[in-house]
Each structure stands twice: as C-alpha cells, then as structure tokens.
C-alpha cells in the first residue's frame, strides 16, 4: 500500500523540487570552452568521434604500487631515510679493502630490515588491490547492440553506455539520470560514502527523458551530453543535453555519483558521463595530509646527533692514528718494527701519514656505524602496528549499539595520543547524540512537557550550589524520563498527562492544539514506510528534527500514514467527537526550508475546502511574519522559547493562515511565472513570491526538541580537564544553547568566571538598526574591530588581575571560561587581534566558540597548533568537521549519525565521545611511555656497543681492528637485543588501565614530555657511555694480566672479544629488565631468550669450519666455558654496569619521584584497595603540589 502511494508521488509538480531545476544561468554559456569540453555520446559509445576522445575506462586502482614499480619505488621509499641510506653506502664500501669486516655481514642485516619493511608495504598494498578487484568486478546491466540489457563488469563500462541500476545497488560510474521506476523520474540516493550524510537525497531526471521507463524505449534513443571536465566538486555540475534537436540544461540534480547507493526506488536508467578516475569520488580521493609525531621528528634530530658523534669519534681515531703512523719512522729508525712500516700498503704508510689517516677515517665511519641503530625504524613500525591492534580490540571502547569498535586508521600517531595539550571538539553529534527527541512545546501560550533535560538538571545543580555536579550522566538520563514505565519511542520523549492519550481535547484551547499538531503532521517532506509484517509506520525524513515532529504528531493523535502526488493522508483525533477519523489534504505547494529562508511552508486544501498555509520556522524570522491582530500569545511564546534555549533545546515557531481563492490564484500565477523564469535573478524572484504568501500568519506555538548529551560526556570532560588538557568547543549553535550545554557536560563549572566576547553590544546593535551597516560597511567594520579589541584586552586584564590577587592572597587562582560568537571570532582571527585572542583563550580553562563555520573551525585549530607548538586533537562527526580534523595534529572521527565523512578523514575513529577518555588517558599514556622508553633504550644499547669498539681501538693504537667477530656485530641489533625492546614497546605498563583513569594527573608526563625530553635523552646516552667504559676497562683489567687457562696461557683477541660481547649482551638486556614495570611471560621469554640465543649462536657458529667462523671457532666450548674467570668476570661486570642506573632510579624514586612513581608506591602499599581512597601522607602532599602546578600551568 505504502509502496503504491510512493510510486504515485510526482514531486516535480511541487515547488520545492521543480524550482531547483537548472537554467542556463548556471554557467552553461561556458560549454565547449576550456574546462567544459567533455562530450558523451549516449547509447553510442562506438561512435568514431567518441573513440577518438580516448576517455579513461572504468577500471579503478587505489594501490600505491604496481607489479612493475614495486621494487624500485619501495626501495626509494626505504632509502629516503637517512639511516638506511647510510647503511647502504656502508654496504657498498664494505666490498673495498677499507672495510673492517666482510661485506656479507653488513648486507645481511640491512636486507633483513629493508625486506621486512617492504614486505609490510606489500601486504598493505595487496589489501588495497583486493578491494579494487572486488569493486572493478561488480556486475551491472548495460544496454547492448542487440537492443537488450546484459550483465557486465564495472570495469568494462565506457562513456556513453546506458546502464540499469536496481534498488540498493551502488552506481558504477557518474551517471546522467534518464528515468526511474517513478513516473516523473525521481529517485532516492544515499551518499554516505561521498559526504558522510545518511539522509536520503532526492534526484530527478529531465522531463524530456522521464518517459524512458522500459528496455524497449532505448531502441531509438540517441543523445549527446556536453559538460564540464572531470573535477572534485561534489555539489555542482554544468552540462547540456542535446536531444531531438533541442538543448536542455543539466545540473547536479540529474547526476548520480559513483559509490552512492540507490534507495527506495526499484530501478533507474542512466547514461555514463564520467568513468574510473574521472568520477567525482575518485577526483576527491586525495591522500590525507602527512602527519608525523613530535617524537618521530625529535628522533630524526637524535639520529643527526649520533651521526655527528660518529664523525667526531672517527675523526679523533684518525687523528691519533695519523700521529702514531707518522711516529713509526723517526730519524730512520722503526718504532714499531713488527708492523713492517717499510713494506706497508697505502692504508698504513708512515711516509704518507695524512693519506693513511684519511683512509682510516673512512674505515672508522664503517666501524662505528653501530652507533646508528639499523633496526630502529622497522622495530618502531612493528610496535606501532601492534599497539594499533590493541586499540582496535579494546572491548572498553566497543559500542555495542552500533557494533562499532575503536579503529586506529593510522599507526604513525599512537604516541601523540599521550601528549595532547588541547582538544577542539564539535558539539552536535560529538558531545550530543544528533538524535532529536520531541520534549516540550508551547501551545497557545501554555507550556507543555514534563521532561527534564540534562541541561536543566545542570542549571538546577548550579542554583543549589553544585550539589549534583558529580552525578553520573546515566543517572541524569534516567531523571529526564518521568514516564519511565512507558516504552521508549525513538524521537519522542514528551511526557504530559494534559496532552497524552487524547486528553488534549479537554484543554481550554483544544482547537489551537489540534491545529498545532496538524501542522506538524502535514508541514514536512517525510516519506512514510509501512512494515508489511507488523504494520508499523516509520518515516524517512531529510533531518532528525523533521522526523521527530512527525513522530510527535503521530503519538499525540495525528498519524501521517501516506501521501500521493497531490495528497497527504492522516488519521486524526477529532476533538469534538473524541474519535479517530481519516482526513485527506490536497497538497498544492511545498515551499522548502533553506538556510536563507529559515522556514518551511506547505499550501494545502482541507477536506472542508479551506485553503491553508502551514508554516514552521526560526523565531528570528517567524515573529515578524505574524499578523498584527494575531499576536495574543507572542509574549508567552517568546518567554517559553528563551527558557527552552536555556535548557539546551532547539526551537521552531509554528503558525498558519487561511487563504482566499482569489488571493491564492493571483499568487500562484505570479509564483509559477517566477519559477519558470530563466533569468539570472530567478531564485530571487521565487523567494520574493514565496515571501508574499508567507505573511499575516497566526501564531500557534513553538516546538522544542532535544539533542541529547551522549552517555558519559560530563565524566569524560572532567577527567580530561584533570589531566591538564584544555578543551575548546567549536559549534554552530546559539550562544545560550552552547553555554548551557557547556554546563551540562561539565565544560563550564560554577566556580568559573565567564568572559563573553560578542558583537551584540548596544553600540553595534544601534549601528545596525540605523542601517549604517549597509550604508557605511567600512565604518561598521571599524567599529566592530574596535569593540572586539576592547573586549579582548579587558578579558586579559581580568585574568591578570585575578592571578595577581590569588598569588598575593596565596589562594588557588580563579578558572575562566571564554565564550565568543561567530561574528566576533571572524574579527578575532584577523592578524590584528589574532595574538591577543590566542593569549586570552589559552589563559582560560575552557573555550566555547558559537556560530562557527567549518572554515572558522579549521582556522582556530591551525592557530592553536601553530601558536602553542603543542599537540592538538580535533574531534567531530560530520562533513563540516573534516577541515578541523585534517588541520589538527590528531583527528578523531565519531562514527555517528552524520555518516562516515569525518571518520574517513580522521586518524582514529571511535563511536562515542566518552571513549576519548580511555583512548588518551590509557592507550595514549601507554603508547607515549612505551615509544619514548623504546627509543631511549635503542640509543642506549647502541652507544654501549659502539663505544666498546672505540675504547678497544684506542687500546690498539687506533688500528681500525674491530673488537668482535663480523657476525657478532651484524647480529647485535637484529637478534640479540631487538626482541626485548619490541616487547617493551608493546606490553609495558607503568600502571594499570584502572589507575590511569583513576589518576588523570599521570597524563601530565606526556603533556610535559617528561619521558622524551632532551635531559632524559642525553641521560640515557651518558648511561650508554658509562656502561661501555665499565664493560671495556673492567673486562680488560680483569682478564689481560691473568692466567686464563689451566696451562697458564693468558687471554687472546678471540677470548677478550667474546667476554666483552657477553657482558654487553647481558648488561643491555638486564638494563631492560630494570626499566620494565610490567612483566609478562613474553618479556621474560624475549629478554632471557635473547641472552640464551647468544650462547646457542656461539656453539653453532663456533662449530663451523674456521674458514667461515674465523675467530669464533670453538671459542665458547673449548676456551670460555671451561674457565671460571670468564663466568666470574661476566657476572661482576654486569652487576657494575647496572649499578649507575639502579642507583639513579632509587634516588629519584625516593627524593624526586615522577607521577607514575607515586602511583606505583600507592599500589605497592596496597592502599588503593582501601574504600576510603586515602593516600599516604607523603604521596598526598606530592599530588597536591602537582594539582596546584596543573592549575597554574602556563599555556
């Protein structure tokens, strides 16, 4: 029944759809010029002229590589990294006599590292390739030469083909809509993949092609489309259809874009205009801006420092080598005769010492290359990918209602999550649900609706001195529903016994109540959809607000159940008889809502043959449209609207008027003339005509719908604030609504002092009322600028005065909240006041920007990012938030009601705002700590290893002789020390997730960058140098002058090298064990397994022929293992190596503990299980100091 009715709707007959038909004023005069040269021969793709155009096919590829360019392109990507390029050069030079080791020992680890990274790239690209194959091989029906439709693959389509797309199928290319299963050629399209919006869009064909409704009608169809060239603009299209010798202008209303879906329409016929990479969705498929974490950028600087260190130690070694070489022949006498300087090569020539020193410098650059960690990059990539897996599988960030887990769309920014200084958030759909519910109404000056919103509870708590500030949001939500025993209806949360269950008929103004809900049931463009099994009716509306109105009307006795091209069907409750009756209203015109009109109207004829104009719109435009004698409820309605706005509700004014036949006919004639005009001012003429009929309205009342706060938002914001994170809200709402939402979600608190920047001052309003804004815009702009500057300066002086008074009185400083409207923000972002605005905003605990445009959101984000130099995070859910998400250091998309556009532009995706608390305070803190410690440890272990080579070379007169076997050095970073550091980066926790959330102050370690500051980095480097000194000098002094074997022989080069290497492997792995806070069996396995593998390697490698194993032959089995001295030296040297770090940490934990040390101490004392939650006195004092520091922390 419903489907039959929907088929009969001829929306092209209605103003709202016919008035958007194209006219030649839309740049159609440019057809054929540069940028508008595309030609499509419909139903004739084999036309010789079409073949000569050589347009792209419909094959789409989103891969980064191809089979041909994978190896060269991937290698280029790898060797762009300076460390990898260095090792490549070293590997090439290692084939020369200059190399202190064999070429294979350098090439092998380099190939492992590069190969692992290339394999990762290949796997990721293959996944994209599989998606491309799936898309390119989807099936679609195309019209063929035999005059029938046959199935083919998407990739085979050509420009000009006629295709048939069925319900719920995606469009294979950009199509010109020719006709549909509806008689007037309309169809419904879901564009979620394009713009993120879930509301259906209405498209319609030209009337001249709408008759092509079956396969046979295309036998003789031939046409030519001339249009714009491929571009990325999703919301415009300029073209002309040449058909039957006539020209017809085309607009975006006739274009069906690839990857959008056909909905609520059985089928459509379309002509292919753009294919493959020429389609608008592919033109928009640009790579997101490249983002690198601050730790990664600092790591590059550390690599340069190590390179400088490498060059320095190489120069020192070469300098002393040159001196020693020159002194080998002095006055014809040989100092080191056993080196035979008289028969030496060019690399050791006492007569050419400077040249020999230069060659030694090149050798040293290769020898000390182990200062640069070759496996650092690949290890970090592995760790970040595994961290992302943990984020994706966190059950506490899974939203069961929509079946959406958290999703890390990039792994490059994991550690940035632990360093966020400022959050810039959207409001609607991010802090709120973007799920509208009809809550209250004002009818005939009487307020109806008993429900209590979250904002009203927050207002009440402020009046009661904050007694319920800490009330959980789910409790607040339950408090709202006074009729909790009744079943919940989506979109309807209205509770009032005076109105419900038909009781409104007993109200004094029952006739006005009837008209009020009748307007809600008729004045809309919603489509009813009846469930065949249950008989329940659902509505598909253009916005959640409109759906809420229709549902409210249905629940209160005015059920909209069907519509045709000219009629609307209602089940109404008659207030006179108290019975339900069926009424049919003849639909004459729909004057649709727009941002400029701010209202919507319908003109209908009632069953009593009355002509009625029903209207709903914003209070800013509706009250001025009221008839002079029909304003009896105006004062009460305005008062109710203000109260609803204070309660965070969205309001619309409801009105109507009766029309006479003469007035209507006269207006309709003028209106039809305006909408069929093809002049450049056509839209203005149509709006003017609509405005003439929308006057002398009779006020009925106002509606109030609530966009509910998401669950857990106040608690989340409170926790983030305690963590030292500043939160800015950028919203398009009114100031009153935004402020009260701010109180409801704990962004604003009772103890905060508000600083309001607005242009609604009496002086500026007076200028606008006098018309100066239009007559003298420069003067008005100057006055506005002066007003904004004055307000900004006054705000800054307030903050400075408050800080001075609080410091002199030794009290906690007062927190400030900044609220600024869109007009003021536009002036504040100009260069004149940009710095002043930023200074004011960053000295406030919370900032709310009202009436903000998408462009302003992005500009504010850029300002905060550039001026603070700290990490910014933007979070939003709609297409209007994309610029803000891409501009911030981290973009977090909410996968909510407004679709997936924000998610597709984000770095991380979550389903609810409250999950941001766990994402930052738990995963962010862990990832920051893990990556910071991992990188510091990487540099520590490489410096420890590299400087033992330097000390040994100094001990051997800078001869360039390595202390270790070639393969010992090659496997150091790859096998003996790499896995423990990866385990650290993946599993380590300083405190549990529960304690991370319980003590948000712990997050300050990342905000202040304590764990990766330059003092800490240099501290680890110094620790590495100290460890190398201890290992080398303790080992040599303990072993060289002692008898090593039973036969009295002393240690040789091979034994000394193995002993030092053993000490290094033990020391760096045990150092890891000291640094780890949270042990798992995996970490135990990797740490002790790496040490065990060193011994296993020595046994296996030492058993190979001496021509291969060289100095390692049987060295452990026959020389080291039987010697007690070897094991004793190893034990003592390792203990001595660990003592400096152990002593430092013991001193720091006792006298200067970091945040996590305090929490760990509390956990060890077991007091966290105490119900009182009391901390030890010393810990409480330290945390009190940290909170004071947090409150006074400079921006």
């Amino acid at each position: 029944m419903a489907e039959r009715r929907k088929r009969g709707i001829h929306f092209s007959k209605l103003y709202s759809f016919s008035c958007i038909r194209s006219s030649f004023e839309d740049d159609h005069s440019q057809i054929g010029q540069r940028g508008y040269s595309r030609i499509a021969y419909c139903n004739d793709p084999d036309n010789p002229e079409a073949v000569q155009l050589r347009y792209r096919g419909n094959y789409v590829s989103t891969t980064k590589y191809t089979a041909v360019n994978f190896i060269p392109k991937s290698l280029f990507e790898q060797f762009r990294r300076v460390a990898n390029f260095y090792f490549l050069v070293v590997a090439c030079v290692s084939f020369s006599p200059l190399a202190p080791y064999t070429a294979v020992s350098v090439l092998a680890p380099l190939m492992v590292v590069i190969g692992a990274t290339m394999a990762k790239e290949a796997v990721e690209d293959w996944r994209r390739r599989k998606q491309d194959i799936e898309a390119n091989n989807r099936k679609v029906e195309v019209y063929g030469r035999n005059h029938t439709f046959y199935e083919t693959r998407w990739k085979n389509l050509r420009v000009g083909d006629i295709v048939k797309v069925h319900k719920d199928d995606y469009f294979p290319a950009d199509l010109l809509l020719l006709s549909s299963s509806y008689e007037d050629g309309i169809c419904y399209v879901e564009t979620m993949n394009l713009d993120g919006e879930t509301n259906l869009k209405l498209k319609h064909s030209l009337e001249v092609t709408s008759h092509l409704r079956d396969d046979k009608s295309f036998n003789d169809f031939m046409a030519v489309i001339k249009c714009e060239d491929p571009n990325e603009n999703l919301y415009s299209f300029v073209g002309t259809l040449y058909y039957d010798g006539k020209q017809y202008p085309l607009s975006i209303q006739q274009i069906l874009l690839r990857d959008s879906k056909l909905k609520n329409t059985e089928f459509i016929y379309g002509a292919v205009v753009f294919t493959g990479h020429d389609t608008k969705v592919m033109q928009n498929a640009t790579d997101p801006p490249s983002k690198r974490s601050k730790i990664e950028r600092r790591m590059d600087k550390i690599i340069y420092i190590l390179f400088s260190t490498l060059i320095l130690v190489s120069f020192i070694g070469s300098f002393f080598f040159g001196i020693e070489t020159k002194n080998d022949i002095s006055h014809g006498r040989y100092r080191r005769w056993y080196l035979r300087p008289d028969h030496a090569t060019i690399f050791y020539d006492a007569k050419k010492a400077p040249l020999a020193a230069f060659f030694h410098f090149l050798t040293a650059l290769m020898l000390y290359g182990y200062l640069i960690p070759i496996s650092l990059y690949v290890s970090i990539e592995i760790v970040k990918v595994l961290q992302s897996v943990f984020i994706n599988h966190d059950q506490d960030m899974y939203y069961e209602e929509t079946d959406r887990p958290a999703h890390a769309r990039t792994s490059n920014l994991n550690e940035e999550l632990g360093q966020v200084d400022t959050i810039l958030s959207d409001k609607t759909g991010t802090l709120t649900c973007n799920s509208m519910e009809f809550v209250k109404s004002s009818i005939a000056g009487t307020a109806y609706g008993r429900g209590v919103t979250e904002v009203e509870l927050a207002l009440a708590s402020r009046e009661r001195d904050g007694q319920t500030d800490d009330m959980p949001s789910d409790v607040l939500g339950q408090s709202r529903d006074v009729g909790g025993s009744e079943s919940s209806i989506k979109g309807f949360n209205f509770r009032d016994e005076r109105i419900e269950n038909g009781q409104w008929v007993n109200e004094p103004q029952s006739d006005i109540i009837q008209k009020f809900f009748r307007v809600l049931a008729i004045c809309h463009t919603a489509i009813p959809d009846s469930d065949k099994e249950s008989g329940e009716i659902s509505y598909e509306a253009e916005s959640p607000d409109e759906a809420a109105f229709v549902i409210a009307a249905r629940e209160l006795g005015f059920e909209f159940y069907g519509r045709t091209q000219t009629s609307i069907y209602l089940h109404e409750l008659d207030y006179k008889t108290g019975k339900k009756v069926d009424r049919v209203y003849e639909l004459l015109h729909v004057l649709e809502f727009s941002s400029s009109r701010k209202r919507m109207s319908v003109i209908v004829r009632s069953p009593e043959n009355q002509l009625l104009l029903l209207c709903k719109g914003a209070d800013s435009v509706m009250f001025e449209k009221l008839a002079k004698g029909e304003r009896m409820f105006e004062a009460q309605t305005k008062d109710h609207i203000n109260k609803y706005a204070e309660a965070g509700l969205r309001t619309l004014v409801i009105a109507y008027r009766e029309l006479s036949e003469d007035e209507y006919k006269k207006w309709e004639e003028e209106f039809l003339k305006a909408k069929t005009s093809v002049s450049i001012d056509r839209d203005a003429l149509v709006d003017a005509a609509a405005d003439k009929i929308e006057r002398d309205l009779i006020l009925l009342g106002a509606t109030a719908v609530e966009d509910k706060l998401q669950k857990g938002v106040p608690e989340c914001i409170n926790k983030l604030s305690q963590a030292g994170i500043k939160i800015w809200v950028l919203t398009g709402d009114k100031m009153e609504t935004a402020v009260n939402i701010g109180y409801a979600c704990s962004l604003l608190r009772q103890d905060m002092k508000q600083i309001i920047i607005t242009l609604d001052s009496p002086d500026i309003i007076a200028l606008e009322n006098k018309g100066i804004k239009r007559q003298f815009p420069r003067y008005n702009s100057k006055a506005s600028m002066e007003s904004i500057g004055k307000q900004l300066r006054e705000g800054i002086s307030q903050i400075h005065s408050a800080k001075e008074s609080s410091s002199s009185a030794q009290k906690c400083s007062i927190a400030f909240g900044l609220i600024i409207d869109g007009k003021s923000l536009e002036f504040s972002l100009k260069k004149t006041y940009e710095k002043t605005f930023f200074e004011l905003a960053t000295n406030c605990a919370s900032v709310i920007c009202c009436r903000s445009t998408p462009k302003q959101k992005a500009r504010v984000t850029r300002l905060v990012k550039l001026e603070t130099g700290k990490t910014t995070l933007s979070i939003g859910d709609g297409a209007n938030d994309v610029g803000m998400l891409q501009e911030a250091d981290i973009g977090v998309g909410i996968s909510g009601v407004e679709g997936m556009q924000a998610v597709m532009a984000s770095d991380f995706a979550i389903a609810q705002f409250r999950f941001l608390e766990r994402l930052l305070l738990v995963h962010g803190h862990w990832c920051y700590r893990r990556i910071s410690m991992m990188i510091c440890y990487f540099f520590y272990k490489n410096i420890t290893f590299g400087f033992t080579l330097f000390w040994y070379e100094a001990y051997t007169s800078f001869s360039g002789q390595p202390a270790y076997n070639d393969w010992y050095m090659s496997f150091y970073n790859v096998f003996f020390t790499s896995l423990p550091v990866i385990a650290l980066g993946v599993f380590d926790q300083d405190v549990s997730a529960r304690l991370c959330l319980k003590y948000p102050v712990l997050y300050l370690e990342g905000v202040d960058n304590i764990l990766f500051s330059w003092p800490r980095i240099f501290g680890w480097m110094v620790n590495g140098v100290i460890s190398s000194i201890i290992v080398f000098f303790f080992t040599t002094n303990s072993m060289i002058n002692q008898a090593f074997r039973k036969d009295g022989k002393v240690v040789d080069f091979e034994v000394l090298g193995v002993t030092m290497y053993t000490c290094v492997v033990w020391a760096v792995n045990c150092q890891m064990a000291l640094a780890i806070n949270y042990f798992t069996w995996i970490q135990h396995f990797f740490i002790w397994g790496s040490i065990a593998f060193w011994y296993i390697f020595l046994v296996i490698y030492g058993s190979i022929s001496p021509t291969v194993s060289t100095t390692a032959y049987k060295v452990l089995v026959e020389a080291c293992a039987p010697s007690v001295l070897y094991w004793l030296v190893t034990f003592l040297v390792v203990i001595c190596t660990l003592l400096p770090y152990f002593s430092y940490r013991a001193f720091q934990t006792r006298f200067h503990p970091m945040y996590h040390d305090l929490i760990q101490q509390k956990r060890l004392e077991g007091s966290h299980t105490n119900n009182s939650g009391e901390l030890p006195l010393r810990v409480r004092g330290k945390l009190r100091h940290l909170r004071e520091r947090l409150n006074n922390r400079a921006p």
Side-chain angles (χ1 to χ4, degrees), residues 1032-1045:
F1032 176 77
F1033 289 101
F1034 279 34
T1035 303
T1036 54
N1037 288 307
S1038 300
M1039 299 188 71
I1040 288 180
N1041 298 321
Q1042 304 291 332
F1044 183 71
R1045 299 184 180 181

Side-chain angles (χ1 to χ4, degrees), residues 93 98 100 314 318 357-367:
V93 179
L98 290 171
S314 299
S318 302
F358 172 74
F359 285 121
H360 181 276
F361 177 76
L362 299 179
T363 301
L365 286 177
M366 291 184 280
L367 178 62

Side-chain angles (χ1 to χ4, degrees), residues 766-977:
L767 289 176
E768 293 184 354
N769 290 340
K770 292 177 181 178
I772 293 180
K773 183 175 181 179
R774 290 186 295 272
Q775 296 174 17
F776 305 104
R778 289 186 180 177
Y779 176 77
N780 183 260
S781 177
K782 183 180 178 181
S784 299
M785 288 283 285
E786 291 175 352
S787 174
I788 293 300
K790 181 181 178 182
Q791 293 179 66
L792 292 174
R793 289 188 293 271
E794 288 176 352
I796 293 174
S797 64
Q798 281 187 55
I799 294 175
H800 290 331
S801 300
K803 285 185 177 180
E804 290 173 1
S805 60
S806 63
S807 61
S808 61
Q810 294 184 348
K811 296 180 180 178
C812 293
S813 60
I814 301 172
F816 285 85
L818 174 65
I819 298 102
I820 183 169
D821 61 26
K823 290 181 182 178
S824 305
L825 186 60
E826 187 64 31
F827 288 106
S828 299
L829 291 175
K830 294 183 181 296
K831 290 185 177 180
T832 309
Y833 294 119
E834 192 178 63
K835 304 283 187 183
T836 310
F837 167 68
F838 175 75
E839 180 185 353
L840 173 61
T842 50
N843 276 285
C844 294
S846 300
V847 180
I848 298 178
C849 300
C850 314
R851 295 296 191 189
S852 304
T853 65
K855 187 176 180 180
Q856 284 177 335
K857 290 182 179 182
R859 289 174 62 190
V860 170
T861 304
R862 187 186 307 117
L863 174 67
V864 175
K865 180 177 70 173
L866 295 179
E867 292 295 330
T868 62
K870 296 185 178 181
T871 303
T872 58
L873 180 147
S874 290
I875 180 169
D877 73 316
N880 62 329
D881 301 318
V882 169
M884 179 173 71
L885 297 182
Q886 292 185 337
E887 189 63 53
D889 293 303
I890 306 171
V892 177
I894 300 284
S895 50
V897 177
E898 292 193 23
M900 302 299 289
Q901 182 98 345
V903 169
M904 290 186 290
S906 68
D907 304 302
F908 298 88
I910 54 178
Q912 294 276 284
F913 183 87
R914 69 176 186 271
F915 296 151
L916 190 64
E917 176 186 352
R918 186 173 180 85
L919 183 66
L920 298 187
L921 301 188
V922 178
H923 291 284
H925 172 70
W926 283 348
C927 290
Y928 165 74
R929 178 179 178 80
R930 290 165 178 171
I931 294 294
S932 299
M933 290 189 61
M934 176 184 174
I935 296 173
C936 288
Y937 177 78
F938 243 109
F939 293 128
Y940 159 77
K941 71 184 183 69
N942 277 66
I943 287 174
T944 299
F945 182 69
F947 269 89
T948 57
L949 294 171
F950 177 74
W951 305 131
Y952 180 81
E953 198 200 12
Y955 187 78
T956 58
S957 298
F958 297 98
S959 61
Q961 172 67 40
Y964 311 118
N965 183 283
D966 297 352
W967 288 102
Y968 298 174
M969 295 190 290
S970 297
F971 283 2
Y972 177 76
N973 277 315
V974 179
F975 294 113
F976 302 139
T977 59

